[in-house]
Amino acid sequence: MKKVELIATATFGLEAIVKREVIDLGFEDIKTDNAMVTFKGDLSSIPKANLWLRCADRVLLKLGEFNATTFDQLFEQTKALPWEEWIPEDGKFTVTGKSINSKLFSVPDCQSIVKKAIVEKLKKKYNVTWFSETGPEYTVQVSLLKDKAILTIDTSGTGLHKRGYRENSVQAPIKETLAAALVKLSFWNKDRLLLDPFCGSGTLPIEAAMIGRNIAPGLNRSFASEKWSIFKPEIWKNARVDALKSIDQNVQLKIKGTDIDPEAIEIAKENAFEAGVDDCIEFDQKPLGELDFKDEYGVIICNPPYGERLSEVEEVEKLYTSMGNYFENLNTWSKYIITSFEEFENFYGKKADKKRKLYNGRIKVDYYQYFGPRPPKSIT
């Protein structure tokens, strides 16, 4: 089967998590760089990576990499790449681009040069002068960093955070990929209670349930490369069948999501149903002060309000103080809290055991981690 080189793009700070996922999926020649993890496989790696990567943003097919300081170099070296092996005569392809610290700094010009080079290559292959572009979509990206060009085709289409279950959401929801990463960065496992006291539309509990049940995050959506002519139908079909067989229907999960907003709770229940995990998450409309921490050991993972607007700062300061008071006696629990509020620890009342810098969309955030003791083996 044809060998391919793929790039899993990642939000800043999540490269190590994505690398671990790539390793666990059994891929080869893995390399990590800023915001990306590169790896190799065969054609079947494309559906496998798209279906299973929880924390990556996209899966890109790498066509080539070279130095380019002039438009002539960009044109000739792009034209030399094997575009005809991937894009059929009726293929619809667009070119996106970005340039950082490179002599070729005009992104529109780079896009135009790359498009022209691909067209010239395909003209020669198909012996035509005009393309209908009525077939499957191929999004080509030219990425220039310090005069090094990387040419890719996007195999995912819509970003991987779009799982297909979140039809509705509340204001300022957390991305599904980041939510999955927060769970993976915690010490939660499927035998322990997980609580999100600010669950909103339920993304964190749902992602945890999908991890606990081993549900492939891309199982309920489609991908751009599913329609590519290079794939025999059974390649994608087999990948989906394998993913379905991997689901653990017997696992008993203890996951709870609460929120003060009754509308958010209803949305969370709907989303959990769409994700196929409504039977293993308990959602309840409750304010923070009414939570009952009966379990001796547990894990709290939450994405509370940040106070991005000046009018909300005082309210958020009070909330973080209340969180510190309510969680103070939970000595055997682990707490994981993500926020952009830089004074969080001061109002929470305790310095985190570990703090990790991440991004929630374009917002710079910190992931505050408070570690509880390891439960006895009889409990875990």
Side-chain angles (χ1 to χ4, degrees):
M1 191 177 286
K2 186 180 181 67
K3 294 294 183 181
V4 295
E5 186 170 9
L6 301 172
I7 298 173
T9 62
T11 302
F12 174 81
L14 298 184
E15 296 93 342
I17 300 297
V18 174
K19 180 182 178 181
R20 172 48 57 188
E21 289 190 296
V22 170
I23 291 171
D24 290 344
L25 288 172
F27 295 125
E28 304 172 346
D29 296 334
I30 302 165
K31 299 176 184 177
T32 305
D33 206 338
N34 289 332
M36 68 172 69
V37 178
T38 304
F39 56 99
K40 293 180 180 179
D42 55 28
L43 271 181
S44 67
S45 301
I46 292 177
K48 187 176 183 179
N50 276 295
L51 286 168
W52 281 103
L53 287 176
R54 297 184 190 278
C55 305
D57 293 329
R58 292 179 182 278
V59 178
L60 307 178
L61 170 69
K62 185 176 177 181
L63 262 287
E65 179 179 343
F66 50 81
N67 290 325
T69 57
T70 69
F71 287 131
D72 283 343
Q73 289 176 338
L74 180 61
F75 177 85
E76 293 299 335
Q77 294 187 84
T78 297
K79 185 180 176 183
L81 297 176
W83 301 102
E84 74 282 2
E85 294 180 10
W86 296 94
I87 303 177
E89 185 176 347
D90 65 345
K92 178 183 178 181
F93 70 96
T94 56
V95 180
T96 63
K98 57 183 178 180
S99 178
I100 302 172
N101 298 330
S102 297
K103 291 182 177 65
L104 300 180
F105 58 85
S106 172
V107 173
D109 285 338
C110 291
Q111 291 173 242
S112 178
I113 291 293
V114 168
K115 175 84 173 182
K116 183 178 179 182
I118 298 173
V119 167
E120 289 301 312
K121 184 65 175 282
L122 297 182
K123 278 183 179 180
K124 185 176 180 180
K125 165 66 177 178
Y126 299 117
N127 195 28
V128 296
T129 58
W130 178 82
F131 295 96
S132 64
E133 296 196 55
T134 56
E137 293 192 11
Y138 299 79
T139 302
V140 176
Q141 182 182 84
V142 50
S143 176
L144 286 150
L145 175 61
K146 297 179 180 179
D147 298 326
K148 182 176 72 175
I150 297 178
L151 276 295
T152 60
I153 305 176
D154 182 6
T155 74
S156 301
T158 304
L160 295 182
H161 70 283
K162 294 287 189 180
R163 315 291 207 212
Y165 66 75
R166 199 164 73 179
E167 294 297 324
N168 297 298
S169 63
V170 296
Q171 188 177 5
I174 191 172
K175 269 190 175 182
E176 294 88 333
T177 44
L178 178 58
L182 298 185
V183 175
K184 283 178 167 283
L185 284 167
S186 76
F187 287 119
W188 177 77
N189 62 60
K190 59 187 179 182
D191 298 315
R192 296 179 70 179
L193 169 66
L194 185 148
L195 168 67
D196 178 2
F198 307 98
C199 71
S201 54
T203 307
L204 266 165
I206 291 170
E207 289 296 322
M210 292 177 72
I211 291 171
R213 211 169 240 184
N214 201 37
I215 299 174
L219 195 52
N220 291 325
R221 55 158 288 176
S222 60
F223 302 91
S225 50
E226 283 189 79
K227 298 179 181 178
W228 292 1
S229 57
I230 196 169
F231 286 104
K232 294 180 180 178
E234 61 266 23
I235 293 180
W236 272 96
K237 180 181 178 181
N238 291 343
R240 290 186 177 277
V241 169
D242 288 343
L244 283 168
K245 289 180 178 178
S246 299
I247 298 173
D248 185 352
Q249 297 286 7
N250 299 317
V251 66
Q252 298 296 314
L253 301 175
K254 294 194 295 181
I255 300 174
K256 295 182 179 180
T258 63
D259 200 283
I260 196 171
D261 183 358
E263 183 181 356
I265 292 298
E266 290 307 310
I267 291 173
K269 290 178 179 178
E270 293 172 7
N271 291 340
F273 176 79
E274 292 296 328
V277 293
D278 55 307
D279 59 330
C280 53
I281 307 175
E282 180 184 331
F283 287 111
D284 198 3
Q285 187 260 315
K286 276 187 179 180
L288 182 64
E290 294 182 12
L291 295 182
D292 188 3
F293 302 99
K294 292 181 179 179
D295 288 65
E296 185 177 359
Y297 294 89
V299 176
I300 293 171
I301 307 177
C302 61
N303 175 44
Y306 299 169
E308 289 292 308
R309 300 174 184 172
L310 286 175
S311 60
E312 300 170 341
V313 170
E314 185 176 347
E315 184 179 344
V316 164
E317 290 173 351
K318 291 179 180 178
L319 174 63
Y320 294 160
T321 300
S322 297
M323 288 171 62
N325 293 334
Y326 289 129
F327 298 165
E328 183 179 10
N329 295 323
L330 299 177
N331 298 320
T332 56
W333 286 54
S334 295
K335 283 86 71 174
Y336 301 87
I337 303 150
I338 187 171
T339 178
S340 66
F341 195 74
E342 295 183 357
E343 298 297 316
F344 170 79
E345 289 170 311
N346 292 335
F347 288 93
Y348 184 78
K350 186 178 181 181
K351 188 174 179 61
D353 296 311
K354 188 176 181 180
K355 187 169 70 170
R356 190 180 188 120
K357 293 187 181 299
L358 298 171
Y359 277 86
N360 184 1
R362 296 184 178 182
I363 302 174
K364 183 181 177 182
V365 294
D366 285 298
Y367 193 36
Y368 297 90
Q369 302 170 61
Y370 298 87
F371 304 133
R374 185 186 296 273
K377 288 186 178 181
S378 59
I379 294 178
T380 61

